[in-house]
Amino acid sequence: MMVTKRRSLRVAVVGVLGATSLALAGTAMAATPAVHTATVAGARTAAAAKPTITATPSVSSVRAWTLFRVTGKTTGIKAGGKVTLQQKQHGKWVALPASTPVNSSGSYALRVELGLKGKNELRMVSGSTASPVFDVTVS
């Protein structure tokens, strides 16, 4: 088999064009994930910027030291993150020794007993995020 100058030139040109297109494709592929990652990170930041908690008691009034449940849903709080019950006492929010983890769907359920008679203002908190206040009257 005889190698001619024309064939050698053709092989060289194809090699150079192939290497150039690979280099350009590699550059484009390397740039695309960075743009995509920045977009995803921006979306996560926006989603993480507004975590929320809802809370619903199973009863509106209960006898002292009788068990009831508080259930709710969260957004922006990771599964396994804790939500804690707080009670307003003398104008300040006090964390009660009642907390529960958030499950993978973002919901939670907590069993509660209260002994402080009268109207109890309660809320669920996780970090700086708090649910709307709800009332349970203890008699």
Side-chain angles (χ1 to χ4, degrees), residues 2-3 14 31 41-42 55 57-58 67 75 80 91 94 102 107 111 114 134:
M2 185 176 235
V3 178
V14 169
S58 61
L67 195 65
T75 58
V94 177
V102 174
S107 61
R111 295 185 308 179
L114 295 175
F134 59 94

Side-chain angles (χ1 to χ4, degrees), residues 77-131:
I77 297 172
K78 292 182 180 181
K82 293 235 180 213
V83 289
T84 302
L85 182 67
Q86 284 187 338
Q87 181 181 46
K88 198 164 200 180
Q89 296 176 1
H90 308 291
K92 294 184 181 180
W93 288 105
V94 177
L96 298 179
S99 63
T100 188
V102 174
N103 67 23
S104 60
S105 66
S107 61
Y108 67 89
L110 178 67
R111 295 185 308 179
V112 180
E113 292 178 333
L114 295 175
L116 188 60
K117 292 187 178 183
K119 180 180 169 184
N120 287 271
E121 291 182 272
L122 305 167
R123 69 180 184 177
M124 298 300 293
V125 296
S126 179
S128 61
T129 304
S131 72

Side-chain angles (χ1 to χ4, degrees), residues 52-63:
T52 62
I53 303 174
T54 64
T56 306
S58 61
V59 296
S60 60
S61 63
V62 67
R63 290 199 177 274

Side-chain angles (χ1 to χ4, degrees), residues 3-95:
V3 178
T4 62
K5 285 184 184 180
R6 185 176 204 154
R7 183 165 174 89
S8 296
L9 182 60
R10 188 179 306 154
V11 169
V13 169
V14 169
V16 168
L17 288 176
T20 304
S21 63
L22 280 175
L24 289 175
T27 303
M29 288 179 71
T32 301
V35 170
H36 180 69
T37 303
T39 304
V40 170
R44 284 184 188 149
T45 302
K50 294 185 180 181
T52 62
I53 303 174
T54 64
T56 306
S58 61
V59 296
S60 60
S61 63
V62 67
R63 290 199 177 274
W65 305 113
T66 301
L67 195 65
F68 68 95
R69 294 174 73 85
V70 176
T71 58
K73 287 200 160 267
T74 65
T75 58
I77 297 172
K78 292 182 180 181
K82 293 235 180 213
V83 289
T84 302
L85 182 67
Q86 284 187 338
Q87 181 181 46
K88 198 164 200 180
Q89 296 176 1
H90 308 291
K92 294 184 181 180
W93 288 105
V94 177

